[in-house]
Amino acid sequence: MNKQILIVEDENDCAELLSYHLQKESYQTVIARNGEEAIDAVQCHAPDAILLDVMMPELNGWEVCRILRESTKGKSLPIIMLSALSDEEARVKGLSLGADDYVSKPYSMQELLLKVRKHIDRQEAIKLLRTKGREQETSLRYLLHEIRNSMTVIGGFSSLALKKENPRTYLKPIQTAAALAESLLNDAALLSRLEEAGGSLPAEVIDLGATAREAADLFHQVAKKRRIAFVVMESAGPSPVRANKTAARQVLVNVLSNAVKYSREGGRVWIYFHQRDDLASVSIRDEGNGIGPDDLPRIFEKFYRAPGSERVKGEGLGLYIVKLLTGAMGGTITVKSVPGAGSTFTVSFMKVDAVALHSEQDVA
Ligand code: ADP
């Protein structure tokens, strides 16, 4: 997989020229035209290095560097600052904010490419060492890390909003980070509850259809932004099942979040309901790249991400949590996927009347 470089540059010609030279060296490139786009791109594209122009209106390169360094995603990302400010003070400021390198404009393209290569190779070696440590990490600790990352983004952008004349610009990333933090907190709360109570969750009667529609409502905004159409097929009638409402909602949120994340722009996500025998189910189908047969049995493993998913923001924990939660509620999750055509995840629970028939106890 080619390494990806994020170019943060408000001057079109400079950005295009850099992109051209980097692509000639087989790098993939993403261009951000301002500081806010840069922070967004680091969260969404997980680049391998960033070329960061200092002089930009609103959020300048120094501020971007500071925010990135305080976030989990940007903490160890190689940052090479580019600036026409050649004096020592500017260079020292960049490096003291945590940049890895500083290049003065006009720069020699060859020198810049060498620096990019050097930092990417170094990063690769560090990543290899870290993979080992990460396998030992508990899901809860990892989720807490991620929540802290969102809080840093919220804190960073709120301080900026307080200082700037046009604070509205900063509300969007604050809103996105707050929604993510809320979802992660739900994951964390449910996980710790499972651990404390030895794998059980209090059960109640919930309407699966209504819970799925509620979860889907959270994604309309982000889906619209990426021109993804949500097609919610009405269920034939109420589908009462015995489950835990918060956990069932979180299961559906995690699956829907993947359907949107792994969809192509302009794709569709279908949500449909079906009942057979004792089971009530909701299926979520997307038209994304699908999952290969070798990866399919592994996607519910802790921290597993199929090759090619690196460009999509994720930690490989969502489906692991989904599997734990559905299991604790006596439900099931299944997946079918056709590489290149899309995936369908189906979440099923026993219908309430069926539960009574089988004289089931609480799922606890
Ligand atoms: P992540 O945070 O990586 O999305 P998940 O545990 O939710 O973690 O998913 C594990 C992996 O399963 C993903 O990294 C991706 O490779 C694959 N995956 C999950 N859902 C989909 C989907 N709808 N389409 C394609 N791949 C998917």
Short mmCIF file of all heavy atoms in Angstrom, two decimals, residues 258-259 261-262 286 290-291 299 304-306 309 313-320 343 345, ligand 1:
data_model
loop_
_atom_site.label_atom_id
_atom_site.label_comp_id
_atom_site.label_asym_id
_atom_site.label_seq_id
_atom_site.Cartn_x
_atom_site.Cartn_y
_atom_site.Cartn_z
N ASN A 258 -20.00 1.77 10.46
CA ASN A 258 -19.14 1.10 9.47
C ASN A 258 -19.74 1.18 8.08
O ASN A 258 -19.03 1.41 7.10
CB ASN A 258 -18.95 -0.37 9.85
CG ASN A 258 -17.94 -0.54 10.97
OD1 ASN A 258 -17.27 0.40 11.34
ND2 ASN A 258 -17.86 -1.73 11.51
N ALA A 259 -21.06 0.96 7.98
CA ALA A 259 -21.71 0.98 6.66
C ALA A 259 -21.46 2.32 5.99
O ALA A 259 -21.19 2.39 4.78
CB ALA A 259 -23.21 0.71 6.81
N LYS A 261 -18.93 4.56 6.87
CA LYS A 261 -17.49 4.76 6.72
C LYS A 261 -16.93 4.03 5.51
O LYS A 261 -16.08 4.53 4.79
CB LYS A 261 -16.74 4.20 7.94
CG LYS A 261 -16.67 5.10 9.11
CD LYS A 261 -15.68 4.66 10.18
CE LYS A 261 -15.52 3.22 10.50
NZ LYS A 261 -14.73 2.95 11.69
N TYR A 262 -17.39 2.78 5.32
CA TYR A 262 -16.80 1.96 4.26
C TYR A 262 -17.58 2.04 2.95
O TYR A 262 -17.33 1.28 2.02
CB TYR A 262 -16.65 0.51 4.73
CG TYR A 262 -15.68 0.40 5.89
CD1 TYR A 262 -16.12 0.23 7.19
CD2 TYR A 262 -14.31 0.55 5.67
CE1 TYR A 262 -15.23 0.18 8.26
CE2 TYR A 262 -13.41 0.50 6.73
CZ TYR A 262 -13.87 0.32 8.02
OH TYR A 262 -12.98 0.28 9.06
N ASP A 286 -24.58 -2.34 2.74
CA ASP A 286 -23.95 -1.20 2.07
C ASP A 286 -23.43 -1.63 0.71
O ASP A 286 -23.41 -2.83 0.40
CB ASP A 286 -22.81 -0.62 2.95
CG ASP A 286 -21.68 -1.61 3.15
OD1 ASP A 286 -20.99 -1.93 2.17
OD2 ASP A 286 -21.47 -2.07 4.30
N GLY A 290 -16.76 -4.14 0.29
CA GLY A 290 -16.93 -5.51 0.76
C GLY A 290 -15.72 -5.99 1.55
O GLY A 290 -14.75 -5.25 1.74
N ILE A 291 -15.81 -7.24 2.00
CA ILE A 291 -14.74 -7.83 2.83
C ILE A 291 -14.34 -9.16 2.20
O ILE A 291 -15.21 -9.98 1.87
CB ILE A 291 -15.27 -8.05 4.27
CG1 ILE A 291 -15.82 -6.74 4.85
CG2 ILE A 291 -14.19 -8.62 5.19
CD1 ILE A 291 -16.81 -6.91 5.97
N ILE A 299 -13.04 -10.26 11.32
CA ILE A 299 -13.38 -8.85 11.57
C ILE A 299 -13.96 -8.60 12.96
O ILE A 299 -14.02 -7.47 13.41
CB ILE A 299 -14.33 -8.28 10.50
CG1 ILE A 299 -15.58 -9.14 10.38
CG2 ILE A 299 -13.62 -8.11 9.16
CD1 ILE A 299 -16.64 -8.52 9.49
N TYR A 304 -8.73 -6.08 15.02
CA TYR A 304 -8.47 -6.53 13.64
C TYR A 304 -9.04 -5.54 12.63
O TYR A 304 -10.20 -5.13 12.73
CB TYR A 304 -9.08 -7.92 13.38
CG TYR A 304 -8.66 -8.42 12.00
CD1 TYR A 304 -7.39 -8.94 11.80
CD2 TYR A 304 -9.52 -8.31 10.91
CE1 TYR A 304 -6.98 -9.35 10.54
CE2 TYR A 304 -9.12 -8.72 9.64
CZ TYR A 304 -7.85 -9.24 9.47
OH TYR A 304 -7.44 -9.63 8.23
N ARG A 305 -8.24 -5.18 11.64
CA ARG A 305 -8.69 -4.33 10.54
C ARG A 305 -8.24 -5.00 9.24
O ARG A 305 -7.08 -5.39 9.11
CB ARG A 305 -8.09 -2.93 10.62
CG ARG A 305 -8.31 -2.24 11.96
CD ARG A 305 -8.16 -0.74 11.84
NE ARG A 305 -9.31 -0.16 11.16
CZ ARG A 305 -9.29 0.98 10.49
NH1 ARG A 305 -8.17 1.64 10.39
NH2 ARG A 305 -10.38 1.42 9.88
N ALA A 306 -9.18 -5.14 8.30
CA ALA A 306 -8.83 -5.81 7.03
C ALA A 306 -7.85 -4.92 6.26
O ALA A 306 -7.94 -3.69 6.34
CB ALA A 306 -10.09 -6.05 6.22
N SER A 309 -8.08 -1.02 4.92
CA SER A 309 -8.97 -0.17 5.73
C SER A 309 -8.21 1.00 6.36
O SER A 309 -8.80 1.83 7.04
CB SER A 309 -9.61 -0.98 6.85
OG SER A 309 -10.26 -2.09 6.34
N LYS A 313 -10.88 6.01 9.06
CA LYS A 313 -10.61 6.16 10.50
C LYS A 313 -11.22 4.99 11.27
O LYS A 313 -12.38 4.64 11.05
CB LYS A 313 -11.24 7.46 10.96
CG LYS A 313 -11.09 7.78 12.40
CD LYS A 313 -11.65 9.17 12.62
CE LYS A 313 -12.19 9.37 14.00
NZ LYS A 313 -11.50 8.74 15.08
N GLY A 314 -10.45 4.36 12.14
CA GLY A 314 -11.01 3.25 12.91
C GLY A 314 -9.95 2.61 13.78
O GLY A 314 -8.75 2.84 13.58
N GLU A 315 -10.41 1.81 14.74
CA GLU A 315 -9.48 1.20 15.69
C GLU A 315 -9.58 -0.32 15.69
O GLU A 315 -8.87 -0.98 16.42
CB GLU A 315 -9.77 1.68 17.13
CG GLU A 315 -10.17 3.13 17.28
CD GLU A 315 -9.12 4.05 16.73
OE1 GLU A 315 -7.95 3.63 16.66
OE2 GLU A 315 -9.46 5.18 16.33
N GLY A 316 -10.53 -0.86 14.96
CA GLY A 316 -10.71 -2.30 14.97
C GLY A 316 -11.36 -2.81 16.24
O GLY A 316 -11.19 -3.97 16.62
N LEU A 317 -12.12 -1.95 16.91
CA LEU A 317 -12.78 -2.36 18.16
C LEU A 317 -14.30 -2.45 18.03
O LEU A 317 -14.95 -3.15 18.80
CB LEU A 317 -12.47 -1.34 19.26
CG LEU A 317 -11.31 -1.62 20.17
CD1 LEU A 317 -11.20 -0.54 21.23
CD2 LEU A 317 -11.45 -2.98 20.85
N GLY A 318 -14.86 -1.72 17.06
CA GLY A 318 -16.33 -1.59 16.94
C GLY A 318 -17.03 -2.93 16.86
O GLY A 318 -17.96 -3.21 17.63
N LEU A 319 -16.58 -3.81 15.97
CA LEU A 319 -17.27 -5.09 15.78
C LEU A 319 -16.97 -6.06 16.92
O LEU A 319 -17.79 -6.92 17.24
CB LEU A 319 -16.89 -5.72 14.43
CG LEU A 319 -17.47 -5.00 13.20
CD1 LEU A 319 -17.04 -5.70 11.92
CD2 LEU A 319 -18.99 -4.92 13.26
N TYR A 320 -15.80 -5.92 17.53
CA TYR A 320 -15.48 -6.74 18.70
C TYR A 320 -16.50 -6.44 19.80
O TYR A 320 -17.05 -7.35 20.43
CB TYR A 320 -14.05 -6.41 19.15
CG TYR A 320 -13.67 -6.93 20.50
CD1 TYR A 320 -13.41 -8.27 20.69
CD2 TYR A 320 -13.57 -6.06 21.59
CE1 TYR A 320 -13.07 -8.75 21.96
CE2 TYR A 320 -13.22 -6.53 22.84
CZ TYR A 320 -12.98 -7.87 23.02
OH TYR A 320 -12.64 -8.34 24.26
N SER A 343 -21.46 -5.22 1.73
CA SER A 343 -21.62 -6.14 2.86
C SER A 343 -23.00 -5.98 3.48
O SER A 343 -23.59 -4.90 3.44
CB SER A 343 -20.60 -5.82 3.96
OG SER A 343 -19.33 -5.65 3.41
N PHE A 345 -24.75 -6.81 7.23
CA PHE A 345 -24.65 -7.28 8.61
C PHE A 345 -26.08 -7.46 9.14
O PHE A 345 -26.92 -6.58 8.94
CB PHE A 345 -23.93 -6.25 9.48
CG PHE A 345 -22.44 -6.21 9.23
CD1 PHE A 345 -21.92 -5.52 8.15
CD2 PHE A 345 -21.56 -6.88 10.08
CE1 PHE A 345 -20.55 -5.49 7.91
CE2 PHE A 345 -20.19 -6.85 9.85
CZ PHE A 345 -19.68 -6.16 8.77
P1 ADP B 1 -12.89 -0.20 12.56
O1 ADP B 1 -12.74 0.78 13.66
O2 ADP B 1 -11.60 -0.56 11.91
O3 ADP B 1 -13.95 0.15 11.57
P2 ADP B 1 -14.49 -2.53 13.32
O4 ADP B 1 -14.22 -3.48 14.44
O5 ADP B 1 -15.79 -1.81 13.36
O6 ADP B 1 -13.26 -1.54 13.35
O7 ADP B 1 -14.35 -3.33 11.97
C1 ADP B 1 -13.25 -4.21 11.78
C2 ADP B 1 -12.86 -4.25 10.31
O8 ADP B 1 -13.90 -4.88 9.54
C3 ADP B 1 -12.70 -2.88 9.65
O9 ADP B 1 -11.42 -2.36 9.89
C4 ADP B 1 -12.91 -3.22 8.19
O10 ADP B 1 -11.73 -3.78 7.65
C5 ADP B 1 -13.97 -4.31 8.24
N1 ADP B 1 -15.34 -3.79 8.05
C6 ADP B 1 -16.28 -3.61 9.01
N2 ADP B 1 -17.45 -3.19 8.48
C7 ADP B 1 -17.24 -3.09 7.14
C8 ADP B 1 -18.07 -2.70 6.03
N3 ADP B 1 -19.35 -2.34 6.19
N4 ADP B 1 -17.50 -2.74 4.79
C9 ADP B 1 -16.22 -3.14 4.62
N5 ADP B 1 -15.39 -3.50 5.63
C10 ADP B 1 -15.89 -3.48 6.87
#
